[in-house]
Amino acid sequence: MQHPDYPLLARQLASLLDDSDWLTNSAQTCAFIMQEIPDLNWAGFYLQCRPEVLCLGSFQGKPACHPIPFSKGVCGKAARERTTQRVDDVFAVADHIACDADSRAELVVPIIVNAELWGVLDLDSPIPARFSDVDQKGIERLIEVFIAHSKLVINLTTTS
Ligand code: SME
């Protein structure tokens, strides 16, 4: 499959984003990704809303699982280890959290701000091994654009 033109997508996303509002920018970013990147069935953000807990943020697709502790799932692993998780076959991941039975491949990119985990971007595809190394680097670049345009503050509602 031919890859999307990620450098072009990065420039288009930069011109689409507001110059600070993270909520607007997160909504625009996942809508843009869903529109421009083929074969996705879900694209969205999870935010760290309590210590080591991810809450569902802006997304495109079916209603999804919420909340997700750092200890669980592909999103939890990305948050815990602060590294991108690329899964070719979600059925092969024991603690994968199945929000949509159609999902087969997943890409989760952590979003780090001031050395803290702000949240993650999660992409799902119904096609096994949908995400290549080129896709991973391209999506990571889109997230850098999102971070550069957004005032991201980690807002933990409780410390208990
Ligand atoms: N599959 C994810 C959960 C989030 S949904 O895919 C939207 C996981 O295992 O963390």
Side-chain angles (χ1 to χ4, degrees), residues 61-117:
K62 291 184 184 174
C65 311
H66 161 87
I68 298 178
F70 277 26
S71 56
K72 292 212 175 124
V74 183
C75 290
K77 189 173 183 196
R80 212 165 56 235
E81 299 188 355
R82 299 184 180 188
T83 54
T84 297
Q85 301 298 309
R86 194 167 95 221
V87 176
D88 286 344
D89 177 7
V90 296
F91 297 153
V93 176
D95 80 336
H96 164 254
I97 302 166
C99 301
D100 180 346
D102 286 343
S103 297
R104 292 298 306 278
E106 183 157 12
L107 183 76
V108 185
V109 179
I111 300 172
I112 315 285
V113 176
N114 295 332
E116 296 293 330
L117 192 286

Side-chain angles (χ1 to χ4, degrees), residues 35-76:
Q35 173 181 272
E36 296 296 335
I37 298 177
D39 301 319
L40 301 181
N41 60 327
W42 201 88
F45 291 84
Y46 281 93
L47 284 56
Q48 186 176 191
C49 55
R50 299 192 287 280
E52 310 221 331
V53 175
L54 296 166
C55 288
L56 185 59
S58 301
F59 70 94
Q60 297 265 311
K62 291 184 184 174
C65 311
H66 161 87
I68 298 178
F70 277 26
S71 56
K72 292 212 175 124
V74 183
C75 290

